[in-house]
Amino acid sequence: MSKVRAAAAIAKGMSITLKEMFQPTEVENYPDGKGPMRGAKFQERFRGKHQLQRDENGLEKCVACFLCAAACPSNCIYIEAADNTESTRISSAERYAKVYNIDYNRCIFCGYCVEACPTDAITHGHGFELASLNATNLVMRKEDLLVPTHKLPDAVRSEKDEAEVLA
């Protein structure tokens, strides 16, 4: 009886294969596909390229606490801290990350750095086009990871005000 079931299962599988073989192929052209992300459909928990967030005043959220670097199992995060001064405010805390590098040659996208951050300064974005033929291009610096300044609130009105907030 088991030989009959096995033969029936093989016949059913082959019938599905033959039926699909003669159907037209549906292809979605990746860069030019539908939707706001050019055809890319992300799951809610997708972990893409990291982003360094800013607060509502446009200042950096990162306070250089080194918890993300300590939590990273692949040791791909490098941070150098510097102190804020009264004339130059980079973050709202006493310190800020003068250097913040992530080496994507080593990153395993585990998300431990995001979970360890007490200020929610580092998050995973939806950037997935990280391929490069040159390994040095995969070391992302702070300038590459920061959320753009054009998303600053309406309180920052002129270029001078924007430079003072970001300086």
Side-chain angles (χ1 to χ4, degrees):
M1 192 64 159
S2 64
K3 291 181 182 180
V4 173
R5 285 186 183 163
I10 291 173
K12 182 178 179 184
M14 292 303 291
S15 69
I16 292 172
T17 302
L18 287 173
K19 182 174 74 174
E20 291 294 323
M21 190 169 19
F22 296 110
Q23 296 292 325
T25 305
E26 294 180 20
V27 177
E28 185 174 322
N29 192 6
Y30 153 66
D32 303 320
K34 302 175 193 170
M37 301 297 281
R38 297 181 302 152
K41 296 178 182 78
F42 296 107
Q43 296 296 319
E44 184 178 327
R45 293 174 43 174
F46 175 75
R47 294 181 185 145
K49 180 181 168 188
H50 296 83
Q51 292 180 331
L52 287 174
Q53 301 295 326
R54 297 180 184 270
D55 64 8
E56 59 276 354
N57 296 325
L59 299 173
E60 297 173 9
K61 284 187 172 183
C62 182
V63 295
C65 64
F66 298 96
L67 289 176
C68 56
C72 182
S74 61
N75 199 22
C76 67
I77 300 176
Y78 175 76
I79 303 172
E80 286 182 14
D83 291 328
N84 277 317
T85 61
E86 290 300 322
S87 60
T88 305
R89 301 294 295 173
I90 303 297
S91 71
S92 58
E94 294 177 13
R95 296 187 316 172
Y96 70 96
K98 183 171 84 172
V99 176
Y100 195 104
N101 296 343
I102 297 180
D103 186 357
Y104 282 109
N105 293 304
R106 303 181 74 177
C107 183
I108 58 174
F109 295 93
C110 62
Y112 289 164
C113 56
V114 175
E115 293 175 14
C117 185
T119 61
D120 294 329
I122 187 165
T123 59
H124 279 289
H126 289 296
F128 59 93
E129 295 175 331
L130 295 173
S132 175
L133 296 174
N134 188 353
T136 58
N137 293 342
L138 294 174
V139 177
M140 298 291 174
R141 289 165 177 69
K142 179 179 170 181
E143 297 78 27
D144 303 325
L145 300 171
L146 268 173
V147 171
T149 57
H150 67 274
K151 294 182 180 178
L152 290 175
D154 293 334
V156 179
R157 292 187 184 5
S158 69
E159 291 180 12
K160 181 181 176 191
D161 292 337
E162 183 176 333
E164 288 176 2
V165 169
L166 299 176

